[in-house]
């Protein structure tokens, strides 16, 4: 029964000697026991109760005495105050409530003040009446005569009187406006008399004035009759010159400037009395106060917006001559405040009415109302980004020639302050970013001696400021210095620079990196290559802003080292083991600057990965990396167009093990796919994105009431992007070579990148097919999945190759990567016999491209420029819509939508066909315009997928589109007279069905002009000398990006279906053309001879000797000039260029077989299999004659 059983069933007795209650269920003391049965617990509880009772009895007499003393004191004070009131009333008995008789002498007035401040209470209404009586009489008295003659006898009573008046103001809000005027008059008079004594109490002083002037919501509500005296009371403490004026201004800033909607007339009166320097110091002091003492921390964001708007207004009106904001203190203060409010400004500045938007922050509601800025706030904020203000930022800056300023370090400090201000504006006004950069570009220093020439352009000023920093010099010398300079916590060279010095220098560099892309966009090649070192006033501003070529070279070295370190050492710079989210070049151009997820692909939370730069909380490492990469690629693209740097300048092969680079980067690519397969495909949701894009193209203008639906769709798309960004965090730590190859491919030689590209394709084929042999894949499909194999077969008529291919292969999508099986059908509907050893596929692809991209075939999908280079027809979609409207189809109808969708699907299919050629390594003789190929390269960033989101057209690219338009805009840019006389506005006219481009689809259609505005209200904005660069930029953007957007997006979407866009980003526009059609260099005929296959009589025997005719053939070929050699290659392979990696990579291989013994027969070819049918010629002269006739005839099959 019991574990300690001793042989007795009786429970042993338990004796408690501690006095504690062992009952676990007892919530209170044990119940009182009977007197006949006392217990130890009862005795202890009784003793404790008696002890508490004795203690309370000891406290009771002192407490009673304290209460009595307090009550007697209260009665005494009340009686004393009553006596003082009676005495005060007796003295004022002969004067009525509205009497304004002055006091007869100074002592009488002083006595009344002393009495009044001793007994008056804000809670006593009669005391308020007494204060009114005193105020009316005091207003007509002349004591004290002035603040300078103020004696100690007056100072303290007046201070007490001011405090009393301040405390009374709140209760006077309910009285008449006349009574409030009297009290405000008294307050302003006393404040003007004792400003120095009252300044330390300015917070309470202005708080009372704020309470009088504002309603419960904080808006200005003072009646018009009281405004004048209220302003007098406000400025009374601001106007005098005080030793500690910051106290008064601090209270003014923290209280009065929080009131919303103060009338402009009232602000002007206050502004006239304010001292801008003292106001700025007060604004600065609020930023440095701790939360417990600073009212800034208690100010909501709406009040803070009004505070900043008032500050801008006061500075502008108090300093009308400083419209350029040359005051360094003002710039520094405003930078801090704008930085705090940047998110609010960016969200609301463009809203003029209440709208609804979807917020992505999960901590807020999915739908929230965005109130527009009040007109005054919006006007003042927009004034910060006006051309006059921004262009004048450098007006007071120290010029490089000012040796004294250089010695004092003024230039670097000014540059850092202006840099922070400009960067903050760019963050707060993201949609106005290009305008801000443009106005900064037009800025210049004004402190220049006339002997040293005209002012220095802003671009050169910031380049010199940036290039003289230690950060710039250290990174230029060694990429490894970037690690400690970007991450102060890094153990590597930790003490390179002090933190404050490093931040200031980074700020100058970052602003230069923000501005220089604008110069590259508006500067034509001639201006850029001029490298003007001297600033001649007769030169254009653009040319004067050009950096010398040696400066550009130094800049690219700095950017190369910085970008290399930011990718190669990303985890170490970020200071975490996991990689941070990176931005590609596409993200920089599209404005997608930040990572949007805090989870690993498997859902594990991670800490924030974005290291901030230069002490700017919003300048993240990912944003900076995208900016540096974008600028570096812009300079590289210009160098690719017109060489000005050495051919090996861009390479950084010394930092890689080049003999292992290709295997290593292929391994990284394979690792990337493994991670993607583990956490879900990277392209998840891409199909939905494509559908959304096409739907938006068709129904955006015709559906009504679907804005919320579009917003929800955009939210879902953004969430998918967030998941992709989260997955990328896992990829980047293990793929540094891949990141560099895709974002800065010019670090690696072109031939190495081509090898990597072919290896990527091979790896993709192995992943999809498990083999690279098409026949093995076909055999496997026929045995395991015959129906799937059937989808890759097609019957194609030779007179409608493109249409048949589109109808049968469009639905394959990504499946077009697999081997296809073509059966050509002649005009009699008879299937041509043949075996596809790769040749029929090549013939199919070359035939489709020849038909689809021929600008004279009537498809109107691609057109040529003056150099006969192809690009998507920019008006194709609008022309299709116009024809549908003329046919009576309503916009948005099923037929209308289907027809426009069909056109875009055809563009997409054309992209897939080009992708298929690249995928299979088949060269086609198609030449695209460089600006169009540049979109391929820049769209290939890992975050942009198949979107045309990373290319922004510029003036130089416009030359490849329309030479006449380019020359016209160039003349406009350099026109020395008044541009406004030309009568241009911010409009552009597009011509549908132009007369110089006839088409079989609409041969009789007359041209139709369509005029569009380039910017809001552009038809009413004239083009002037100041804004002509903005006009040129908008024209280039419209022609190159906006107008052909839908067609280009569809083509790139199709191209990206077959070729990973990240692979395309490894090449520039000229290299991509080489991938498509082969190299432009002279063909290496010795290499061709080594890689030629022979058949028939020409098969090389066991002796290893070539046939005599073959020997004659190569003797003739080697003696041909370059043009004829290229014609020979085109005659056999259908393209005149050699493969990138040599003829050993030609697919199918170059082959020669005998074509009979007839000496009069011409050589013929089967270009589908790269086969030359060469008759057995016995004479070298005959062979030369027949071969040259064939290759120069421009024919192929018809010679067979």
């Amino acid at each position: 029964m019991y574990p300690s059983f001793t042989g007795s069933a009786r429970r042993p007795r338990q004796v408690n000697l501690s006095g504690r209650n062992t009952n676990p269920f007892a919530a209170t003391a044990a119940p009182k026991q009977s007197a006949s049965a006392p217990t130890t617990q009862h005795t202890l509880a009784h003793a404790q109760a008696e002890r508490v009772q004795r203690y309370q009895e000891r406290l009771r007499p002192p407490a009673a005495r304290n209460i009595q003393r307090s009550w007697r004191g209260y009665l005494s004070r009340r009686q004393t105050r009553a006596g003082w009131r009676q005495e005060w009333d007796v003295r004022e008995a002969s004067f009525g409530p509205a009497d304004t008789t002055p006091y007869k002498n100074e002592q009488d007035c002083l006595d009344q003040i002393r009495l009044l401040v001793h007994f008056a209470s804000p809670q006593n209404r009669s005391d308020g009446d007494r204060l009114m009586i005193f105020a009316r009489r005091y207003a007509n008295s002349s004591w004290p005569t002035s603040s300078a003659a103020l004696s100690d006898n007056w100072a303290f009573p007046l201070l007490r009187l001011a405090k009393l008046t301040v405390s009374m103001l709140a209760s006077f809000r309910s009285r008449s406006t006349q009574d409030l005027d009297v009290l405000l008059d008294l307050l302003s008079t006393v404040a003007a008399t004792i400003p120095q004594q009252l300044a330390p109490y300015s917070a309470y002083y202005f708080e009372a004035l704020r309470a009088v002037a504002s309603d419960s919501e904080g808006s200005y509500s003072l009646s018009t009759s009281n405004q004048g005296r209220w302003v007098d009371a406000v400025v009374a403490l601001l106007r005098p010159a005080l030793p500690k004026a910051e106290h008064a201004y601090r209270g003014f800033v923290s209280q009065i400037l929080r009131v919303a909607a103060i009338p402009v007339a009232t602000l002007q009166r206050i502004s006239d009395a304010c001292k801008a320097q003292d106001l700025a110091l007060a604004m600065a002091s609020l930023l440095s106060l701790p939360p417990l003492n600073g009212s800034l921390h208690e100010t909501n964001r709406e009040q803070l917006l009004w505070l900043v708007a008032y500050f801008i207004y006061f500075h502008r009106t108090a300093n009308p001559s400083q419209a350029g904001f040359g005051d360094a203190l003002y710039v520094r203060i405003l930078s801090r405040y704008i930085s705090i409010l940047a998110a609010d400004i960016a969200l609301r500045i463009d809203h003029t009415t209440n709208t609804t938007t979807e917020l992505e922050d999960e901590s807020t509601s999915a739908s929230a109302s965005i109130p527009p800025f009040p007109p005054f706030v919006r006007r003042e904020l927009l004034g910060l980004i006006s051309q006059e203000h921004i262009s004048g930022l450098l007006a007071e800056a120290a010029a490089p020639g000012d040796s004294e300023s250089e010695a004092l370090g003024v230039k670097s400090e000014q540059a850092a302050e202006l840099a922070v201000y400009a960067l903050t504006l760019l963050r707060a006004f993201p949609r106005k970013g290009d305008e801000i950069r443009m106005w900064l570009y037009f800025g210049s220093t004004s402190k220049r001696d006339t002997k040293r020439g005209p002012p220095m352009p802003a671009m050169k000023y910031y380049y010199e400021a940036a290039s003289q920093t230690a950060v710039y010099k250290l990174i230029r010398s060694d990429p490894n210095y970037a690690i400690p300079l970007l991450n102060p916590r890094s153990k590597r060279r930790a003490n390179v620079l002090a933190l404050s010095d490093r931040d200031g220098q980074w700020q100058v560099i970052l602003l230069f990196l923000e501005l220089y892309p604008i110069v590259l966009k508006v500067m034509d090649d001639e201006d850029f290559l001029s490298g003007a070192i001297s600033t001649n006033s007769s030169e254009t501003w653009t040319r004067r802003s050009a950096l010398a070529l040696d400066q550009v070279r130094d800049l690219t070295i700095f950017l190369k080292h910085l970008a290399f370190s930011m990718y190669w050492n990303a985890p170490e710079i970020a200071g975490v083991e996991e990689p941070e989210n990176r931005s590609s070049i596409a993200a920089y151009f599209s404005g997608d600057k930040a990572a949007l997820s805090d989870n690993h692909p498997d859902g594990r939370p991670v800490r924030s990965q974005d290291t901030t730069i230069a002490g700017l909380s919003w300048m993240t490492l990912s944003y900076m990396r995208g900016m540096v990469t974008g600028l570096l690629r812009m300079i590289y693209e210009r160098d690719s167009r017109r060489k000005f740097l050495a051919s090996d300048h861009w390479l950084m092969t010394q930092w890689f093990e080049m003999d292992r680079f290709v295997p290593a980067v292929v391994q990284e690519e394979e690792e990337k796919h493994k991670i993607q397969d583990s956490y879900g495909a990277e392209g998840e949701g891409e199909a939905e994105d494509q559908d959304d894009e096409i739907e938006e193209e068709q129904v955006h203008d015709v559906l009504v009431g679907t804005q919320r639906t579009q917003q929800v769709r955009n939210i879902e798309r953004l969430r998918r992007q967030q998941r992709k960004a989260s997955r990328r965090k896992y990829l980047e730590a293990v793929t540094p070579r891949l990141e560099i190859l895709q974002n800065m491919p010019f670090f690696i030689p072109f031939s190495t990148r081509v090898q990597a590209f072919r290896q990527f394709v091979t790896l993709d084929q192995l992943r999809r097919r498990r083999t690279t042999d098409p026949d093995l894949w076909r055999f496997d499909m026929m045995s395991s999945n015959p129906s799937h194999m059937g989808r890759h077969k097609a019957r194609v008529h030779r007179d409608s190759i493109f249409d048949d291919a589109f109808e049968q292969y469009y639905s394959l999508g990504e499946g077009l990567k697999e081997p296809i099986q073509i059966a050509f059908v002649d005009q009699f509907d008879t299937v041509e016999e043949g075996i596809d050893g790769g040749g029929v596929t090549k013939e199919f692809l070359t035939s489709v491209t020849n038909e689809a991209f021929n600008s004279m075939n009537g498809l109107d999908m691609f057109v040529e420029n003056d150099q006969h280079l192809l690009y998507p027809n920019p008006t194709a979609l609008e022309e299709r819509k116009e024809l549908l409207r003329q046919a009576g189809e309503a916009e948005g109808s099923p037929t209308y939508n289907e027809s426009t969708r069909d056109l875009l699907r055809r563009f997409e299919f054309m992209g897939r066909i080009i992708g298929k050629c690249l995928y299979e390594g088949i060269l086609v003789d198609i030449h695209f315009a460089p600006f169009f190929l540049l979109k391929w390269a820049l769209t290939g960033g890992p975050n942009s997928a198949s979107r045309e989101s990373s290319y922004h057209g510029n003036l130089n690219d416009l030359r490849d589109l329309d030479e006449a338009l380019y020359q016209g805009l160039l003349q406009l840019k350099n026109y020395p007279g008044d541009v406004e006389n030309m009568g241009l506005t911010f409009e552009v006219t597009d011509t549908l069905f132009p007369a110089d481009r006839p088409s079989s689809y609409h041969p009789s259609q007359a041209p139709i002009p369509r005029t569009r505005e380039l910017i809001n209200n552009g038809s009413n904005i004239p083009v002037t000398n100041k804004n002509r660069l903005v006009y040129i930029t908008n024209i280039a953007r419209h022609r190159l990006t906006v107008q052909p957007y839908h067609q280009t997006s569809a083509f790139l979407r199709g191209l990206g279906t077959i070729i990973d866009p990240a692979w395309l980003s490894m090449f520039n526009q000229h290299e991509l053309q080489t991938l498509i059609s082969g190299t432009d260099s002279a063909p290496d005929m010795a290499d061709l001879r080594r890689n030629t296959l022979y058949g028939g009589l020409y098969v090389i025997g066991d002796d290893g000797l070539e046939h005599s005719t073959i020997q004659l053939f190569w003797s003739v070929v080697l003696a041909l000039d370059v043009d004829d050699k290229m014609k020979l290659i085109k005659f056999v392979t259908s393209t005149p260029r050699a493969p990138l990696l040599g003829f050993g990579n030609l697919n199918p291989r170059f082959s020669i077989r005998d074509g009979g013994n007839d000496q009069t027969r011409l050589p013929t070819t089967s270009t589908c299999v790269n086969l030359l049918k060469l008759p057995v010629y016995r004479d070298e002269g005959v062979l030369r004659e027949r071969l040259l006739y064939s290759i120069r005839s421009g024919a192929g099959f018809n010679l067979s």
Side-chain angles (χ1 to χ4, degrees), residues 442-588:
F442 279 116
S444 65
T445 60
S446 60
K447 288 185 176 180
R448 295 284 289 180
D449 194 319
T450 55
K451 296 180 180 180
R452 290 196 293 267
M456 172 178 286
M459 191 51 54
K460 288 194 171 182
Y461 173 85
Y462 275 108
Y463 172 76
E464 293 196 9
S467 62
Q468 292 171 7
T469 61
V471 169
Y472 183 96
K473 294 176 181 178
L474 288 171
I475 295 178
R476 187 193 177 281
S477 64
D478 186 349
N480 291 320
Y481 277 110
I483 300 173
L485 290 173
L486 289 171
N487 182 10
R489 298 181 298 276
S490 173
K491 298 179 181 179
R492 196 182 301 192
R493 295 190 181 106
N495 298 321
V496 175
L497 282 177
L499 182 61
S500 58
D501 295 338
R502 178 173 56 250
D503 287 348
Q505 293 178 23
W506 270 123
Q507 290 159 4
V508 177
I509 293 172
L510 289 171
L511 179 58
F512 173 78
L513 298 182
E514 287 276 11
L515 296 184
Y516 197 52
I518 285 292
V519 177
L520 297 179
K521 289 180 181 179
V522 302
M523 188 177 291
D524 61 85
D525 290 337
E526 298 302 325
D527 288 342
F528 180 85
L529 295 176
S530 67
I533 300 177
S534 61
T535 53
N536 187 349
S537 58
S538 62
E539 295 175 336
T540 63
W541 187 257
T542 305
R543 180 159 294 198
R544 288 166 57 190
S545 298
L547 300 180
L549 293 183
D550 60 339
Q551 293 176 328
V552 176
R553 184 181 63 83
D554 288 346
L555 174 62
T556 56
I557 294 175
F558 165 77
L559 292 174
K560 282 189 340 180
H561 289 179
L562 178 59
F564 170 80
S565 188
M566 293 175 78
Y567 283 100
W568 190 255
N569 304 298
E572 185 176 357
I573 292 175
V576 292
E577 295 181 0
E578 297 87 0
E580 72 165 317
N581 181 56
R582 301 166 186 246
S583 292
S584 66
I585 175 63
Y588 168 69

Side-chain angles (χ1 to χ4, degrees), residues 339 342 420 423-424 426-427 514 612 616-620 623:
S339 179
V420 173
L423 291 171
T424 304
L426 289 171
R427 182 201 176 207
E514 287 276 11
T612 58
L616 305 173
S617 59
W618 48 270
M619 180 61 70
T620 62
Y623 175 82

Side-chain angles (χ1 to χ4, degrees), residues 22 164 228 345 389 448 488 566 954 1027 1031 1104:
T22 59
L164 175 63
I345 296 174
H389 291 169
R448 295 284 289 180
M566 293 175 78
N954 59 69
N1027 64 17
Y1031 172 78

Side-chain angles (χ1 to χ4, degrees), residues 569-699:
N569 304 298
E572 185 176 357
I573 292 175
V576 292
E577 295 181 0
E578 297 87 0
E580 72 165 317
N581 181 56
R582 301 166 186 246
S583 292
S584 66
I585 175 63
Y588 168 69
F589 281 102
S590 65
D592 182 13
K593 312 289 192 205
L596 299 174
S597 177
D598 290 324
N599 293 318
H600 276 297
D602 57 358
R604 291 185 293 111
V606 297
R607 48 183 170 164
S608 177
Q609 303 294 331
D610 268 338
T611 302
T612 58
I613 308 297
L616 305 173
S617 59
W618 48 270
M619 180 61 70
T620 62
L621 186 62
S622 59
Y623 175 82
M624 180 181 175
R625 181 170 47 217
M627 180 170 58
V628 172
T629 308
L631 176 56
L632 197 58
R633 291 196 71 153
M634 291 180 72
I635 302 176
Y636 171 71
E637 290 152 17
R638 190 178 289 266
D639 183 55
S640 301
R641 186 169 56 247
R642 293 187 63 176
K643 296 294 295 184
F644 58 89
L645 295 171
S647 57
D648 60 346
H649 172 79
W650 295 99
L651 298 178
M652 292 193 70
T653 53
Q654 69 273 22
W655 299 97
F656 302 97
E657 297 181 26
M658 293 307 299
D659 56 337
R660 299 181 53 197
F661 183 83
V662 173
V665 78
V666 171
Q667 183 178 0
E668 291 181 3
E669 176 76 5
E670 187 174 5
E671 184 67 22
K672 181 186 77 170
H673 285 291
K674 288 181 180 178
I675 295 174
Q676 291 175 350
D677 292 341
S678 300
Y679 298 125
E682 182 82 17
E684 181 181 354
E686 188 170 321
E688 289 87 345
D689 289 348
Q690 296 174 5
D691 293 340
D692 291 344
E693 182 179 270
I694 296 176
E695 181 177 353
E696 180 181 356
E697 294 163 2
Q698 305 303 327
V699 304

Side-chain angles (χ1 to χ4, degrees), residues 1002-1021:
H1002 41 79
S1004 60
Q1005 177 65 53
I1008 300 176
R1010 291 281 175 84
T1011 300
R1012 307 173 188 274
E1013 291 185 337
L1014 295 172
I1015 59 176
N1016 290 335
N1017 196 32
S1019 58
N1020 297 319
I1021 301 177

Side-chain angles (χ1 to χ4, degrees), residues 1046-1096:
H1046 297 302
Q1047 299 89 299
T1048 305
S1049 294
F1051 181 90
L1052 294 179
R1053 184 167 57 247
L1055 180 63
T1057 302
I1058 308 300
I1059 300 295
D1060 189 335
W1063 300 349
L1064 296 175
S1065 68
M1066 300 190 303
F1067 306 98
N1068 65 22
Q1069 61 270 41
H1070 303 293
E1071 294 166 345
L1072 283 171
Q1073 183 61 60
T1074 304
L1075 280 176
I1076 296 169
S1077 58
T1079 178
D1080 288 329
S1081 59
D1084 185 355
M1085 307 311 288
D1087 178 58
L1088 175 62
R1089 188 174 188 175
R1090 287 191 300 270
N1091 291 282
T1092 298
L1093 302 179
Y1094 301 99

